[in-house]
Amino acid sequence: MALALALGRRGLGNAWPNPAVGAVIVGGEDSSLVVGRGWTQPGGRPHAETEAIGRAGAAAKGATLYVTLEPCSHHGKTPPCVEAIVAAGITRVVSALEDPNPEVAGKGHARLRAQGIEVEVGVAATEAARAHAGHIRRVRSGRPHVTLKLAISADGKVALPGRKPVAITGSAGRDQVHLMRAESDAVLVGIGTVLSDDPQLTCRLPGMSARSPVRVVLDTHLRLPPMSTLAKTASTVPTWVITAASSDAARALESMGVKVLTAEVRGVRLDLASALRLLGDQGITRLMVEAGPILAAALLADDLVDAAVLLRSRVAIGADGIDALEGMPLTALTQSPQLRSRAIEMIGDDIVETFERA
């Protein structure tokens, strides 16, 4: 199952709207030989189980399938994986999790048992739940799993006075951020970040540019400049803007390849829950947020943060620097009753702490 989970991670960020599943088939005379491996392919198809069965060929007969999520049992754009498992002659299935999708929800396991296949559920369930957090959140809440990334100085600042950007983390920390982007379906920023930083929001690890996520801008009044990097590269890297209403500016951006979506407004800003449900409707399951202090604080205040990654530099900016969270202390994240610290590690010269929903 550990191997299946590792294989499944290959699909993170490019399997949406489907979950990134991993599958391993073990057979041979002593039932200890890996005869097939698979993971969800880009765009969500083919599924991991059929990939593994295809690689195993005749060796799948009488073998055991380890899979990180319950095999599908319904007809979609492809036949159910359950049918492929039965046809391959697999006699035992070890599944980490029942799929919460109402179209599956135990039906896959039931159909396998009805065919005389031994089924075991729950192996490495905690690890699988983390791997499929995006799929589970979208099914249950209609929105993506939200991971907030904050890079802060030793004294809890994110920018120089006047909100001037500054490099905070070292090169190893920046590489970690690029990897996070590659494993996310989309990356979200507010228009303030775009106007002050003109970011690329791509994955720039060697050989991984194709793994760049969809870039999403929250922009109530549609101020995204046509000459911004995001707009100018929208034809090559998917770029979406969520705004309050369509306008001539929207049509101009759409002509450049920007996808413009309209969400509900609450007060003077976009309703964040509405915006996230809109992304869920588009198939986004894993959302990385590289927010400025205003958006980060708003997401925390609305209890919309499912996980957080805090990259803390050893270098201080000074008392005049910009706080990480607008109008609230950093402890609103680090000591939040909704989040708990899961891991602390050194990446280069930076301290990286990971939080997850309690």
Side-chain angles (χ1 to χ4, degrees):
M1 190 62 78
L3 174 57
L5 287 163
L7 291 169
R9 282 194 289 272
R10 297 184 181 190
L12 291 178
N14 69 357
W16 65 277
N18 288 351
V21 177
V24 175
I25 299 175
V26 178
E29 292 184 2
D30 58 355
S31 298
S32 63
L33 179 68
V34 173
V35 297
R37 305 184 305 160
W39 55 93
T40 309
Q41 296 299 294
R45 296 178 184 83
H47 291 183
E49 299 94 322
T50 55
E51 284 285 292
I53 290 168
R55 289 186 172 93
K61 187 173 183 178
T64 295
L65 168 69
Y66 292 84
V67 63
T68 63
L69 190 67
E70 178 181 9
C72 64
S73 55
H74 62 289
H75 282 269
K77 294 184 178 179
T78 54
C81 288
V82 164
E83 292 183 1
I85 292 168
V86 173
I90 289 170
T91 56
R92 178 171 177 254
V93 172
V94 181
S95 174
L97 286 177
E98 181 177 298
D99 190 341
N101 182 349
E103 293 184 305
V104 186
K107 299 182 185 73
H109 293 149
R111 286 186 60 182
L112 292 171
R113 291 188 177 105
Q115 293 294 322
I117 296 174
E118 180 186 349
V119 178
E120 181 179 352
V121 183
V123 174
T126 299
E127 294 86 348
R130 288 195 181 106
H132 297 303
H135 172 67
I136 294 168
R137 175 60 67 188
R138 180 169 176 259
V139 168
R140 291 180 176 170
S141 304
R143 66 168 178 84
H145 179 271
V146 175
T147 298
L148 174 64
K149 186 276 295 183
L150 288 177
I152 64 172
S153 64
D155 50 352
K157 310 296 182 181
V158 295
L160 295 172
R163 298 187 182 272
K164 294 179 181 178
V166 61
I168 293 176
T169 57
S171 59
R174 289 191 290 274
D175 286 348
Q176 178 69 15
V177 171
H178 286 286
L179 181 60
M180 289 175 62
R181 290 176 183 170
E183 293 182 341
S184 300
D185 304 343
V187 57
L188 176 74
V189 296
I191 185 60
T193 295
V194 176
L195 295 176
S196 63
D197 296 356
D198 191 28
Q200 298 181 55
L201 301 178
T202 53
C203 174
R204 295 189 292 281
L205 295 175
M208 295 184 66
S209 61
R211 296 293 298 267
S212 294
V214 174
R215 305 173 301 183
V216 183
V217 183
L218 290 182
D219 186 3
T220 306
H221 303 294
L222 210 55
R223 294 184 290 155
L224 179 67
M227 293 308 295
S228 65
T229 298
L230 295 183
K232 289 191 297 183
T233 58
S235 61
T236 55
V237 182
T239 305
W240 302 353
V241 175
I242 301 179
T243 188
S246 185
S247 64
D248 290 340
R251 288 182 280 277
L253 289 170
E254 287 172 337
S255 70
M256 300 177 71
V258 176
K259 185 174 185 175
V260 180
L261 304 170
T262 303
E264 298 172 12
V265 175
R266 186 177 65 183
V268 297
R269 64 173 173 86
L270 291 170
D271 180 81
L272 295 177
S274 168
L276 293 181
R277 287 193 300 270
L278 192 61
L279 293 178
D281 291 343
Q282 297 294 318
I284 300 298
T285 68
R286 294 169 57 88
L287 179 68
M288 177 182 175
V289 179
E290 297 195 47
I294 296 174
L295 178 55
L299 287 166
L300 284 166
D302 288 355
D303 192 22
L304 293 172
V305 175
D306 300 303
V309 177
L310 192 63
L311 297 94
R312 192 188 296 267
S313 169
R314 295 185 180 186
V315 178
I317 286 179
D320 293 335
I322 304 301
D323 290 333
L325 301 173
E326 183 84 5
M328 61 175 64
L330 187 60
T331 53
L333 187 159
T334 60
Q335 298 179 24
S336 167
Q338 282 76 41
L339 299 169
R340 64 183 176 193
S341 178
R342 185 168 71 87
I344 300 177
E345 60 182 326
M346 291 294 302
I347 296 183
D349 294 328
D350 303 313
I351 301 170
V352 180
E353 186 169 8
T354 302
F355 299 82
E356 65 182 7
R357 187 172 284 276

